Amino acid sequence: MTPQVSIIMGSTSDLPVMEKAFKFLDDMQVPFEVNALSAHRTPDAVERFAKGAAGRGIKVIIAGAGMAAALPGVIAASTTLPVIGVPIKGSVLDGMDAMMSIIQMPPGIPVATVGVNGAMNAAILAVQIMALVDNGLAEKFAAYKAGLGEKIEKANKELAEIKYRYKID
């Protein structure tokens, strides 16, 4: 199996957030890889990774980063692949500093950015991108989306069963 999505995080302290992406990709049966790379501590390794990702079959890169959050942008600067940034909460600014660093990229170096700690949405976006050219994945994703609606319908039925004297049905 060759990975199609590469999930990169600045350090393993980001693992609790990024694991949500792992689970979603696993549920969708999308092969992925996971690595820790630091834009500040291992800049040469980050550049090598980014420049070689497409040649290894990677289609989308998800990069989680906190604080200065340079990692997604540094990766985007060295690849033509889509990069999705996940700002990680962890500083005194509750991840807003990371989010602002990731979304404020110069022209020509875009990084799609999800909300703070939004690793699952990053994985969903990666699947949506890949589903544009993969009908099997598009069908799996359509089933997932349909399931979201079914969960809400079920919740509404359960709420209707809750009885209070002044609750209007």
Side-chain angles (χ1 to χ4, degrees):
M1 217 173 356
T2 302
Q4 296 178 352
V5 176
S6 188
I7 300 174
I8 308 299
M9 60 193 92
S11 78
T12 55
S13 65
D14 300 332
L15 193 58
V17 170
M18 299 306 288
E19 281 179 321
K20 293 173 184 137
F22 307 173
K23 181 173 180 354
F24 185 79
L25 293 172
D26 206 54
D27 289 347
M28 290 286 115
Q29 301 173 336
V30 173
F32 64 96
E33 64 181 17
V34 179
N35 289 289
L37 293 169
S38 170
H40 299 108
R41 291 176 233 133
T42 61
D44 294 337
V46 170
E47 187 175 5
R48 276 191 310 275
F49 158 79
K51 287 183 176 181
R56 294 186 305 102
I58 299 298
K59 294 181 174 45
V60 180
I61 298 169
I62 297 172
M67 299 174 72
L71 184 62
V74 169
I75 290 171
S78 295
T79 188
T80 57
L81 295 173
V83 177
I84 304 168
V86 179
I88 307 253
K89 182 178 179 176
S91 70
V92 295
L93 298 176
D94 285 335
M96 293 302 292
D97 50 343
M99 184 175 67
M100 295 305 279
S101 293
I102 296 171
I103 63 174
Q104 294 297 329
M105 295 302 299
I109 314 295
V111 174
T113 309
V114 295
V116 175
N117 288 358
M120 183 172 171
N121 271 349
I124 290 170
L125 184 55
V127 166
Q128 287 177 301
I129 291 167
M130 294 186 308
L132 292 171
V133 295
D134 181 334
N135 291 336
L137 188 56
E139 289 175 16
K140 285 180 203 164
F141 186 70
Y144 165 77
K145 289 285 275 197
L148 293 176
E150 291 167 8
K151 285 180 185 176
I152 295 299
E153 290 171 11
K154 181 180 179 222
N156 271 323
K157 287 178 184 172
E158 290 170 359
L159 288 172
E161 297 300 315
I162 297 173
K163 301 295 180 197
Y164 287 91
R165 279 189 312 162
Y166 291 97
K167 179 179 171 262
I168 308 298
D169 290 328

